[in-house]
């Protein structure tokens, strides 16, 4: 939310700089995320001055150029070559002197330099509108009023306004601060607290609406409220309205906070919204059928066209503002296409209402509509300022659009929302905060927050909290309010602090994470952290297995992630868009799911590889990532975690989630999945190329380690024997199948299997491949005889021939 420093000064006295104000606001819970300068004209016309053309003569070397002498004030006369057709002696003009950076209406800014144009010296530039961002015209130089004084800064002449815009990260519990007056209220309290023992120096001043007088006549537009979701509805009919551009001060105010000026009526409603936090809506009264406004729920299955031209099907739960024929506006969310104000509008019905926050939130989410009005209504607006805001806007319309109030103000408020009671114990305040404040100080701070102290007896205070403070309902809330205004930095720090640090993670799991993380980082992996909340639309899982959020903040954050892959792909596309194509990343996190209405979570380690693993170099060829590299990294991770060698084996699978998929399993427990991300998955993220992914179930790894007794063997006493086999296989048979079959065939003395050569080519057939494999044999009880070795190798060959169709090359 953007807050204008200049706006704030309309409601409170501020002696602090924007930077100091930002510090005070951040300290009281309204975190200022940044301060941006604002100027009504980009660049603020810095370096531009008013000049008087003394002479203007034709350039000797160019028909379309003139040589001028210009009085810049203080006795300075500049020679300037000008190409404008309307230049003439006696004119008052805008001059950019050398060294000035000017900002044109289109294009990049550029610096004015002393130069020679067709042989004549030019000490600056006489400017046109578009050249300095004051307009779009380039027909000639700007000719000013004759009363303009040479040497006057152009910023002063054109009354250029400058401002500082504070960007506040507003938390959902603070709708009371979603306006300039709301922020001023907190800032005023904090400024007064800086000198708590003195008289308050800052007080919030609301806009004066005492001049509002409406005729005591029957309302031109009748209003009926047929839904409890409308807490209060106020409105007034205004005639003789002239819709036109807003005056400069209003356009500047709207522009400073990032809004685009539209016309005086719309700009006024936006201005009051950001001034008081009360949304308003202006209807073209001539389009209100039978001059009736009816507030009720929508009729299910009806179609309503909103202001953006989109047809939206109503479900029946939406609160609507209707006329005699049908819907005009989705209450608190978005207007209709046919009821808005345009340049032909001459009469309006101005609405100021308070709608139920739950109703607006559901409607906004249902139709995917987020507006400045729904932002405030969803969090809770003050029902007691609808009339104040209405009068403020109506007076501005009377002043800026010539409006005339044609009848009495309508105000329907069947069940007024009253202040609520909260009890505060001074002793509890000290116990919870460690700060000792007396009753007088507490009373003063609360009064600056509009919280009334009704009575006090032996340190127990009875309070009345206004309805706009929707988050202050308990004693703890009041204590929080007192402390944030008094200052968190004033809490005394003891010399010794004692606390317990509970953790749900097991010591072994933490040890695995630390050791494996060190290993990956040492191998040039970068650790990332992604949001555990994600969007369901990118997953192929059955919807019933999702751990779905009941009240998601947005459609993109509606479930807890069931897999680590999709968040890492979001990181991949983020880096791709910034020309970082080579990635080697890992993340520790949890995945979530639901099984028979029971929710569960799993600790995971995910790895993602894409691009080249080696940088471009003239002397070496770049090497891409492969399934073999990923497999070796996962195997090393398992070894780092403490998994005993030989406890788990690799196997190829085809689950459909990955291509070239392999699992690393200990018995029936799958510890890791690796493979290539399918193209159909990449397409959802607007990605292409090759991306490798590994998913490791850390909970299963931990359990496998703890249930496996440590194996300690003495070094072998007897020699190891190596035998090689060369065999011809079908191309479809993977090496892993051969290795697994070897270990199944000889469980006792086969220690290692190693593939050292692969050959494919026309000579052996397109559907064939040749493997050269080494087998390492050792008996820990004795030295192997040649006969025993031949027997084992024969058994291996028989098994390869019968089960894999291998052709063994002998001799």
């Amino acid at each position: 939310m953007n807050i204008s420093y200049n706006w704030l000064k309309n409601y409170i006295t501020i002696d602090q700089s924007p930077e100091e104000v930002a510090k005070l606001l951040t300290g009281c819970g309204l975190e200022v995320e940044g301060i941006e300068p604002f100027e009504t004209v980009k660049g603020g016309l810095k370096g531009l001055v008013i000049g008087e053309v003394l002479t203007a003569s034709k350039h000797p070397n160019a028909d379309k150029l003139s040589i001028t002498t210009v009085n810049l004030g203080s006795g300075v006369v500049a020679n300037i070559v000008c190409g404008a057709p309307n230049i003439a002696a006696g004119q008052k003009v805008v001059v950019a002197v050398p060294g000035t950076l000017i900002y044109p209406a289109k294009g990049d800014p550029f610096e004015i330099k002393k130069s020679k144009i067709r042989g004549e010296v030019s000490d600056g530039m006489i400017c046109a509108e578009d050249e300095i961002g004051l307009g779009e015209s380039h027909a000639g130089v700007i000719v000013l009023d004759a009363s303009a004084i040479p040497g006057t800064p152009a910023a002063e002449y054109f009354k250029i306004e400058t401002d500082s815009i504070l960007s506040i990260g507003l938390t959902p519990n603070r709708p009371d601060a979603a306006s300039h007056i709301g922020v001023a209220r907190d800032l005023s309290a904090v400024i007064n607290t800086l000198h708590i023992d003195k008289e308050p120096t800052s007080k919030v001043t609301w806009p004066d609406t005492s001049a509002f007088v409406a005729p005591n006549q029957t309302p031109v537009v009748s209003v009926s409220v047929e839904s409890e979701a409308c807490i209060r509805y106020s409105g007034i009919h205004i005639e003789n309205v002239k819709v036109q551009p807003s005056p400069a001060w209003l356009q500047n105010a709207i522009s400073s906070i990032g809004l685009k000026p539209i016309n005086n009526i719309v700009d006024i409603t936006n201005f009051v919204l950001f001034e008081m936090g009360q949304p308003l809506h202006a209807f073209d009264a001539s389009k209100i059928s039978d001059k009736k406004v009816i507030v009720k729920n929508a009729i299910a299955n009806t179609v309503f066209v909103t202001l953006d031209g989109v047809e939206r099907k109503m479900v029946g739960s939406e609160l609507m503002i209707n006329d005699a024929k049908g819907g005009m506006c989705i209450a608190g969310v978005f207007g209709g296409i046919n009821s808005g104000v345009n340049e032909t509008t001459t009469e309006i019905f101005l609405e100021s209402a308070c709608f139920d926050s739950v109703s607006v939130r559901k409607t906004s989410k249902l139709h995917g509509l987020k507006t400045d009005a729904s932002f405030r209504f969803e969090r809770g607006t003050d029902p007691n300022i609808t009339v104040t805001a209405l009068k403020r806007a109506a007076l501005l319309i009377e002043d800026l659009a010539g409006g005339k109030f044609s009848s009495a103000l309508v105000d329907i408020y069947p069940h007024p929302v009253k202040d609520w009671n909260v009890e505060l114990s001074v002793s509890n305040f000290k116990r919870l905060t460690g700060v000792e404040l007396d009753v007088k100080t507490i009373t003063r701070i609360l009064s600056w927050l509009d919280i009334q102290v009704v009575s006090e007896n032996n340190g127990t205070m009875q309070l009345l909290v206004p309805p706009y403070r929707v988050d202050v309902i308990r004693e703890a809330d009041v204590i929080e309010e007192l402390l944030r205004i008094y200052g968190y930095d004033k809490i005394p720090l003891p010399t010794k602090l004692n606390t317990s640090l509970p953790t749900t993670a097991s010591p072994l799991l933490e040890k695995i994470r630390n050791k494996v993380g060190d290993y990956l980082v040492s191998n040039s992996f970068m650790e990332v952290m992604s949001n555990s909340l994600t969007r369901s639309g990118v997953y192929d899982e059955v919807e019933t297995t999702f751990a779905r959020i009941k009240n998601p903040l947005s459609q993109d954050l509606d479930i807890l992630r069931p897999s680590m892959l999709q968040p890492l792909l979001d990181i991949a596309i983020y880096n791709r868009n910034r020309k970082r194509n080579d990635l080697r990343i890992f993340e520790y996190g949890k995945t979530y799911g639901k099984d028979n209405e029971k929710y569960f979570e799993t600790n995971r380690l995910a790895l993602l590889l894409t691009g080249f693993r080696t940088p471009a170099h003239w002397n070496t060829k770049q090497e891409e990532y492969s399934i073999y590299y990923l497999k070796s990294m996962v195997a090393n991770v398992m070894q780092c975690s403490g998994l005993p060698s030989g406890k788990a084996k690799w196997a190829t699978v085809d689950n459909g989630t990955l291509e070239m998929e392999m699992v690393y399993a200990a018995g029936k427990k799958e510890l890791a999945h690796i493979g290539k991300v399918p193209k159909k998955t990449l397409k959802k993220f607007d990605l292409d190329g090759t991306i490798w992914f590994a998913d490791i179930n850390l909970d299963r790894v931990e359990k496998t380690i703890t249930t496996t007794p440590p194996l300690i063997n003495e070094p072998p006493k007897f020699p190891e024997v190596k035998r090689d086999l060369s065999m011809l296989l079908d191309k479809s048979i993977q090496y892993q199948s051969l290795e697994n079959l070897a270990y199944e065939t000889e469980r006792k003395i086969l220690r290692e299997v190693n593939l050292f050569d692969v050959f494919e080519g026309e000579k052996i057939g397109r559907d064939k491949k040749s493997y050269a494999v080494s087998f390492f044999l050792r008996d820990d009880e004795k030295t192997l005889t040649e006969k025993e070795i031949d027997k084992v190798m024969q058994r291996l060959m028989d098994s390869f021939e019968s089960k894999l169709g291998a052709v063994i090359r002998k001799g």
Side-chain angles (χ1 to χ4, degrees), residues 366-440:
L366 179 66
H367 293 287
L369 290 170
K370 296 291 181 182
T371 61
D372 288 327
S374 69
F375 175 86
R376 288 156 178 80
F377 281 128
E378 286 179 31
R379 289 156 176 78
T381 59
D382 184 3
N384 293 328
I385 67 162
T386 60
V387 171
T388 304
L390 187 68
K391 289 180 179 179
R392 167 68 163 161
L395 287 171
L396 288 171
I397 291 172
E398 182 183 47
D399 182 34
L400 304 181
K404 180 182 178 182
F405 311 138
S406 52
S407 61
L409 185 149
V410 177
D411 185 28
I412 301 176
Y413 196 10
H415 306 290
V417 180
K418 299 180 180 179
D419 296 355
W420 48 77
N421 297 300
V422 177
E423 185 176 277
L424 171 66
S425 168
V426 177
S427 61
N428 281 347
F429 175 84
K430 180 181 178 181
R431 179 176 61 84
L432 292 174
T433 66
V435 178
E436 189 168 358
L437 295 181
D438 55 36
V439 172
K440 181 181 177 182

Side-chain angles (χ1 to χ4, degrees), residues 50 142 299 347 422 475 528 555 623 718 793:
I50 306 304
I142 305 171
I299 299 174
E347 57 172 326
V422 177
E475 181 184 51
V528 297
Q555 292 179 336
E623 184 179 345
F718 301 96
M793 292 306 298

